[in-house]
Amino acid sequence: MEYTHILSRIKDQILYVTINREHKLNALNKETLAELADVIAFASKSDQIRGMLLTGAGDKAFVAGADISEFSDYSSAEGEALARNGQKTVFDAIEKCSKPVIAAINGFALGGGLELALACHMRIASEHAKMGLPEVTLGLIPGYGGTQRLTRIVGKGKAMEMITTGDMITAVQAEKIGLVNYVVAADELIKKADEILDKIRQRAPLAIAGAIKAVNSSLSDHVNGFDVEIEEFGKCFSTSDFKEGVAAFLEKRRPSFSGK
């Protein structure tokens, strides 16, 4: 797949996506969001992909925010449409993706950049990374799910502080409050994400998809998460992967899952 603002490649069933606007600190413009929407949709449907790693080009920024120049003169209706479209095609699409998506935060993750990382299933940060939602310094609030996902991940008090002050936090502080899973040296960032994705890649794909759906449902006010878990648990019994997993366990061998 060839894009203008992102780089993508598949290796060992993992899709590596790099936001490639280093001269703009990988800021999200309309074209970049459209390309992300396309590659996420591809990953969700492709049988050859078991997981996705998302990062930014260079060593300064994961994504330093949205491209403010694009919406500086928007009306209320245009601003709402911008947020609604981005939320549906990119941020929600990542969160609901049946393949695990890991954000490798290699520098600044601010505004829409942190919201992009929040939508991913896991986050790993380099030790020099900094994160924040500074929208209030522009007279805005986060519009791509930041008020919701940050609160769910770190709790109301810390989320309220970060959002209303607009202050940045360090990678170490982010790990302390549960915003990121791990903090590692910059040259270990991709390796750490690879280690996690490699473990997941060896597990049953349909079970992984069911687990993601069930965990996501625990954060929804519109569904009973326990019911979703029970349904997904039941579905596993009709899969070839379940039969293979049980057989491998009884035969004391490593399972070979087909995703069927």
Side-chain angles (χ1 to χ4, degrees):
M1 297 174 289
E2 293 187 5
Y3 298 103
T4 302
H5 300 296
I6 65 175
L7 304 174
S8 66
R9 66 185 178 93
I10 301 172
K11 180 182 177 182
D12 296 331
Q13 298 179 300
I14 303 301
L15 175 63
Y16 294 83
V17 176
T18 302
I19 299 170
N20 191 33
R21 301 186 74 216
E22 189 175 356
H23 64 294
K24 292 284 189 179
L25 295 180
N26 303 320
L28 298 174
N29 61 2
K30 291 179 182 178
E31 290 81 6
T32 305
L33 286 169
E35 291 179 4
L36 282 171
D38 185 77
V39 79
I40 294 159
F42 169 77
S44 297
K45 298 174 183 177
S46 175
D47 292 335
Q48 63 180 310
I49 293 173
R50 295 283 183 89
M52 180 173 164
L53 189 155
L54 181 61
T55 193
D59 58 5
K60 291 184 179 180
F62 172 72
V63 171
D67 197 329
I68 298 168
S69 62
E70 285 193 336
F71 56 79
S72 59
D73 60 350
Y74 269 25
S75 67
S76 294
E78 289 172 320
E80 183 176 332
L82 175 74
R84 195 174 299 280
N85 180 66
Q87 187 74 273
K88 178 181 178 180
T89 62
V90 178
F91 299 83
D92 279 355
I94 290 175
E95 186 173 64
K96 295 175 182 177
C97 183
S98 60
K99 322 291 174 64
V101 183
I102 295 181
I105 304 173
N106 55 309
F108 289 108
L110 304 175
L114 180 54
E115 290 176 296
L116 188 65
L118 290 169
C120 296
H121 302 118
M122 286 167 270
R123 287 155 294 282
I124 302 170
S126 64
E127 55 193 2
H128 70 277
K130 291 186 177 180
M131 287 151 262
L133 294 173
E135 284 87 347
V136 294
T137 66
L138 299 172
L140 293 170
I141 69 168
Y144 288 135
T147 63
Q148 306 302 298
R149 294 190 178 97
L150 183 64
T151 303
R152 292 167 180 170
I153 293 169
V154 307
K156 180 179 178 181
K158 199 63 187 178
M160 193 71 78
E161 179 185 350
M162 287 181 63
I163 292 167
T164 58
T165 65
D167 287 346
M168 290 188 295
I169 62 172
T170 66
V172 171
Q173 290 172 316
E175 184 180 31
K176 185 177 180 180
I177 63 175
L179 178 52
V180 300
N181 296 65
Y182 299 98
V183 176
V184 297
D187 59 358
E188 294 289 317
L189 181 63
I190 303 302
K191 179 181 177 181
K192 183 63 179 179
D194 278 340
E195 287 177 358
I196 296 172
L197 286 168
D198 186 57
K199 286 183 181 180
I200 296 172
R201 186 174 60 84
Q202 298 175 49
R203 313 310 186 208
L206 295 178
I208 295 296
I212 290 173
K213 183 176 180 180
V215 171
N216 281 343
S217 72
S218 72
L219 303 173
S220 174
D221 295 327
H222 307 294
V223 297
N224 185 315
F226 292 97
D227 285 342
V228 174
E229 180 186 277
I230 290 168
E231 291 169 6
E232 293 301 318
F233 177 75
K235 288 178 183 178
C236 291
F237 285 85
S238 64
T239 67
S240 297
D241 279 349
F242 169 68
K243 295 178 177 61
E244 166 63 13
V246 171
F249 176 80
L250 295 175
E251 295 166 13
K252 295 181 172 56
R253 60 173 174 82
R254 184 187 294 270
S256 178
F257 294 116
S258 64
K260 299 179 180 179

